[in-house]
Amino acid sequence: MRYTTRTTIASMVMLACAGMAQAGEKTVDNLTVFTNTKAASAEGVLKVNAARFGLPANLNNLVLVAVKESLTGKHYYYQQMLRGLPVDRAQIVVSIGKNGDLQKIFNETRHISAKVDADAVNQLYNKSQISDDEALDKGWKNMKVQHNLVNVPSATLVWVPTKDGVQLARKVNIEAEMPTGGFVQYLNAHDGSVIDSYSTSLPRTNKGGERSLAARSAAPGQALDRHAATEAAKASSSVSALKAGSTATVLAASGINGSGYAFDPDPRTTLNNDALTDTSAASAFDAAYSSKTLRDLTVTSGVYKLTGPYVNIKNIEAPATAPSTTTNGVWTAKRGNNAFDDTNVYFHIDQSQRYMQSLGFSGSKGILERSMDIDTDGVNGDDNSHFSGTGATGYLAFGHGCVNDSEDADVILHEYGHGIQASINSSWSGGDTGAMGEGFGDYWAASYSYSTPNGQVYHPEWAFSWDGHGSCWAGRMLNRTDAKYNSSKSYSAHSSVTENGVTFQSDELWSAPLYSSMVSLIAAGKPRANIDKIILEAHFGLGSNIKMPAMATAIVNAAKTLFPSDLSYANTFQAKFEAQNILSGGACTPVNMSETESNNTIASANPISASCTTASANMSTSADADYFAITVPAGKTLTATMTPNASSDYDLKLYNSAGTELASSVKGTGQADVVTRANTGSTAVTWYAKVYYYSGGTGSTSGTYTLKASW
């Protein structure tokens, strides 16, 4: 995994040591965390670090687009621009603590050379472009949209980073009811071909089909007429609150409460009963119901509605089911009646929001502090649920296939977890965010279930204790500590992964260290609230393309910042992430070495025999190639990380002694390349890492890079 350490330069203009403590920093992937380092301003920090990140000294390609506040400080989000257009998902975020300390810098910007800028001018002004309307037509066809829209489609012009520079693209956003769902597509602005895409509808499982653009294109049946569907969406009252560019609905607390039944958290856990199934007699559930207060309801002309400051029950998706109402504020429906689904969802989402506020996330620090639209009978009736859209206007929908998803607090809070992440980080996409989004949702549900009376007794390791782990579907596990991370891979949502002979779900790789940290800390007498506070706080100050090691580093750092006098929090998270190879252990002593020329062949490779060795090297000419002979002990997994200077693109390959290529990584300018290989044999083996030139600088000043080998 990418993991480098440095000591900050004492002479930096804007950064200074705090007291007599030594300033320091640690970089993991695209995140750098700092210690004992003062910051006068975010802009000052960026000016000092401009060369490091390949930015112009005057920062004239950055625009401050947002400032967010969290428990520990403020986070300044800068969007990279090129010729007046945004470089998509290319932000740099500076986080400064309340005490004036520089906490971290998250960087996903790209170095723009004169050559790249000239090519951008050619693309923007000289090459023909497809129109927004043509892009929407192509995007519509790619998705084969077959269900009603829940948002008005949009197309905008952006730059998409590539290995060689940037590509002008039409960013098309189309959101429809499931199972079509929503997708963001990046279409080449010149020929309309698909550059990239990702789903904006995040279901709890892949049941019903893979969530990819290719899968949608191959779906049977005919697409709807785009123009007719768009006009219908514009006229639809159910879409009006979700239209592109709309603002979140904020309602004042009415002070009018009602009551209704709920499962808390689900009937199996409450009754501690494995035998309970979807087809059990209605009477078998009687003891599982709890009468709950439904807070701050809306009353209009004597009609009580399940609309409050944090939840708005409404019909959004098929089937068309009107929200339940009463004339006295008392809901008495039980399972099998949609009114029960309404009260169960209202109670759990409202309670979860108020819980976050109790942790300090309210007002200027609020997370999803709005009336969220929720359809408790949607998803076309399928056995699935999803969060769809953005943090500002995203909504939830729950399906009624098999066990009604809206009967299980695990499903409800899991989907709310997606909204939480989208609210904090509107750029939550790419990297390992697919698996981490699902894993966090599973954790957020588990954190609550674990706090209920039988939560630590009835299968606490189960995610979806009622909806899953039966005939409907298998559910997921929270205790897969045998799942190991491989830094050369990216972990999408709901994918089956086999690593070192162990098969697991990608989602479980992330939920396991969060869950096991919670269990260990609670067993040590630590309150659940502190654990959740750390994990939520860690999400602030990040952007797109986050990998698990960076997110884990942010969590450990948040634990140290929030609880500096009690390092049991940080140490527990660190240990759990290390156990799953997400973070590197502290057992090895860092070793620094310098490259020795000539090392242009396998025979002349520089030797590396100790883990945590970082070689400082340079690309002397564009024809240079540097080899390093890395000896890896039996049973260990090598992670080799090559980090070029910000304005250069060098690539990395791994060979055996016979010269057979074993792995490769060819990221773009300024991006670290990573290769991983497991030594499954009974003796040590020597592999050969080759670093070679693709583009950028050369020589002792402009051609620098580092190669780190760990196992």
Side-chain angles (χ1 to χ4, degrees):
M1 69 196 68
R2 283 172 272 178
Y3 184 103
T4 57
T5 59
R6 308 182 190 93
T7 301
T8 52
I9 301 172
S11 60
M12 285 182 175
V13 176
M14 302 303 298
L15 310 177
C17 295
M20 296 301 293
Q22 184 180 17
E25 61 181 83
K26 178 172 61 180
T27 297
V28 180
D29 296 314
N30 45 11
L31 177 69
T32 303
V33 296
F34 295 83
T35 55
N36 302 317
T37 304
K38 290 297 181 184
S41 69
E43 184 178 351
V45 168
L46 290 177
K47 286 183 176 179
V48 167
N49 289 278
R52 168 197 285 194
F53 296 122
L55 299 169
N58 59 6
L59 306 179
N60 63 356
N61 67 343
L62 297 181
V63 175
L64 181 65
V65 292
V67 179
K68 292 186 178 181
E69 188 177 1
S70 68
L71 301 183
T72 64
K74 289 186 177 180
H75 312 272
Y76 301 83
Y77 296 76
Y78 290 84
Q79 171 64 51
Q80 184 176 16
M81 306 294 290
L82 176 59
R83 297 289 168 174
L85 296 175
V87 182
D88 196 75
R89 294 189 283 184
Q91 289 188 334
I92 188 165
V93 189
V94 179
S95 298
I96 299 177
K98 294 178 179 179
N99 59 359
D101 281 353
L102 176 61
Q103 294 178 338
K104 59 192 177 188
I105 300 175
F106 175 88
N107 179 53
E108 196 59 18
T109 61
R110 297 291 187 268
H111 174 68
I112 304 298
S113 65
K115 180 181 178 182
V116 171
D117 183 62
D119 178 61
V121 170
N122 182 50
Q123 291 188 62
L124 192 57
Y125 299 111
N126 299 326
K127 297 183 71 173
S128 62
Q129 298 175 24
I130 62 172
S131 66
D132 282 353
D133 203 53
E134 289 171 321
L136 288 169
D137 276 341
K138 289 179 180 293
W140 192 271
K141 182 178 179 180
N142 293 339
M143 279 179 62
K144 194 178 282 188
V145 179
Q146 297 171 304
H147 301 87
N148 294 331
L149 293 173
V150 295
N151 210 330
V152 178
S154 65
T156 55
L157 202 58
V158 300
W159 299 106
V160 174
T162 67
K163 177 173 174 58
D164 294 312
V166 292
Q167 172 62 56
L168 191 63
R170 297 283 178 184
K171 182 179 181 180
V172 176
N173 189 2
I174 301 174
E175 297 177 57
E177 295 178 13
M178 292 289 271
T180 294
F183 283 89
V184 168
Q185 302 175 55
Y186 297 92
L187 306 183
N188 186 304
H190 310 301
D191 62 21
S193 60
V194 178
I195 301 171
D196 193 13
S197 67
Y198 63 88
S199 173
T200 58
S201 295
L202 307 176
R204 62 158 170 76
T205 174
N206 270 347
K207 188 173 184 178
E210 176 191 351
R211 292 297 303 155
S212 71
L213 197 62
R216 278 304 315 157
S217 295
Q222 297 296 314
L224 300 177
D225 178 81
R226 180 174 73 84
H227 295 286
T230 301
E231 289 305 312
K234 290 178 179 178
S236 172
S237 60
S238 65
V239 172
S240 60
L242 300 169
K243 286 181 180 178
S246 64
T247 57
T249 302
V250 179
L251 298 178
S254 68
I256 303 172
N257 297 336
S259 66
Y261 286 129
F263 288 145
D264 190 17
D266 66 82
R268 277 182 178 168
T269 301
T270 299
L271 301 178
N272 196 15
N273 184 356
D274 266 333
L276 205 62
T277 70
D278 187 42
T279 58
S280 295
S283 59
F285 296 88
D286 285 345
Y289 294 103
S290 299
S291 181
K292 299 292 186 181
T293 299
L294 307 175
R295 301 175 64 178
D296 293 315
L297 303 181
T298 296
V299 181
T300 305
S301 301
V303 176
Y304 287 73
K305 301 177 181 178
L306 291 170
T307 295
Y310 313 120
V311 185
N312 178 34
I313 303 297
K314 68 182 296 186
N315 178 63
I316 303 171
E317 300 183 346
T321 307
S324 60
T325 61
T326 70
T327 56
N328 61 359
V330 179
W331 277 258
T332 59
K334 296 183 177 180
R335 74 183 301 260
N337 186 317
N338 280 355
F340 172 74
D341 299 288
D342 291 347
T343 58
N344 197 50
V345 169
Y346 189 97
F347 167 73
H348 283 292
I349 297 294
D350 180 79
Q351 178 178 250
S352 189
Q353 172 58 226
R354 294 176 193 269
Y355 169 66
M356 284 194 294
Q357 292 180 27
S358 75
L359 302 180
F361 296 102
S362 62
S364 61
K365 308 178 190 69
I367 301 172
L368 256 185
E369 209 167 15
R370 63 177 175 86
S371 187
M372 190 179 201
D373 290 339
I374 302 175
D375 189 340
T376 68
D377 185 14
V379 202
N380 204 38
D382 294 341
D383 184 18
N384 217 333
S385 297
H386 71 116
F387 167 82
S388 188
T390 68
T393 57
Y395 70 93
L396 301 181
F398 299 92
H400 281 192
C402 209
V403 169
N404 289 6
D405 282 16
S406 40
E407 292 182 3
D408 190 343
D410 278 3
V411 181
I412 297 166
L413 296 178
H414 167 93
E415 296 302 339
Y416 196 54
H418 287 304
I420 289 171
Q421 289 182 313
S423 174
I424 300 173
N425 183 354
S426 60
S427 297
W428 185 264
S429 61
D432 295 332
T433 57
M436 288 194 294
E438 301 301 330
F440 169 76
D442 288 358
Y443 167 79
W444 190 248
S447 170
Y448 177 68
S449 291
Y450 203 75
S451 72
T452 62
N454 283 338
Q456 298 182 33
V457 178
Y458 182 81
H459 294 293
E461 76 283 1
W462 280 4
F464 314 114
S465 302
W466 171 227
D467 181 66
H469 303 281
S471 60
C472 298
W473 72 296
R476 286 194 289 271
M477 303 298 290
L478 294 152
N479 62 347
R480 291 302 306 271
T481 54
D482 57 339
K484 305 299 180 184
Y485 182 76
N486 183 334
S487 60
S488 66
K489 296 181 178 178
S490 291
Y491 292 87
S492 59
H494 310 315
S495 57
S496 179
V497 181
T498 299
E499 200 67 50
N500 297 326
V502 177
T503 300
F504 53 91
Q505 291 293 305
S506 57
D507 316 336
E508 296 170 332
L509 175 60
W510 186 246
S511 63
L514 301 184
Y515 170 77
S516 58
S517 294
M518 178 191 72
V519 170
S520 294
L521 287 166
I522 288 177
K526 307 300 180 184
R528 165 200 173 212
N530 288 352
I531 304 162
D532 289 342
K533 185 183 299 184
I534 290 167
I535 294 172
L536 291 173
E537 175 68 20
H539 282 79
F540 285 86
L542 303 175
S544 62
N545 296 318
I546 309 165
K547 301 279 283 180
M548 290 189 188
M551 190 72 237
T553 300
I555 290 174
V556 173
N557 196 52
K560 292 177 181 177
T561 304
L562 285 168
F563 301 101
S565 60
D566 187 353
L567 293 181
S568 62
Y569 291 103
N571 292 340
T572 298
F573 278 114
Q574 178 77 30
K576 300 303 183 182
F577 287 128
E578 286 181 13
Q580 303 201 231
N581 293 346
I582 294 173
L583 291 180
S584 59
C588 61
T589 302
V591 177
N592 295 311
M593 62 172 279
S594 296
E595 172 203 15
T596 302
E597 291 282 8
S598 165
N599 59 343
N600 292 13
T601 66
I602 285 179
S604 61
N606 290 175
I608 294 176
S609 58
S611 181
C612 298
T613 294
T614 299
S616 298
N618 71 79
M619 197 64 59
S620 58
T621 69
S622 60
D624 192 14
D626 299 329
Y627 284 83
F628 299 85
I630 306 173
T631 301
V632 181
K636 297 294 185 179
T637 297
L638 166 69
T639 298
T641 303
M642 187 281 299
T643 305
N645 62 77
S647 59
S648 297
D649 181 1
Y650 312 139
D651 293 323
L652 179 64
K653 289 187 177 182
L654 190 69
Y655 298 91
N656 63 17
S657 57
T660 302
E661 183 178 319
L662 305 175
S664 66
S665 178
V666 289
K667 295 289 184 63
T669 299
Q671 293 185 284
D673 285 300
V674 183
V675 295
T676 299
R677 183 80 175 183
N679 178 8
T680 58
S682 57
T683 60
V685 65
T686 298
W687 292 318
Y688 298 84
K690 175 187 177 183
V691 181
Y692 59 100
Y693 180 90
Y694 184 83
S695 67
T698 59
S700 59
T701 301
S702 302
T704 58
Y705 70 88
T706 61
L707 177 75
K708 181 172 182 180
S710 298
W711 51 83

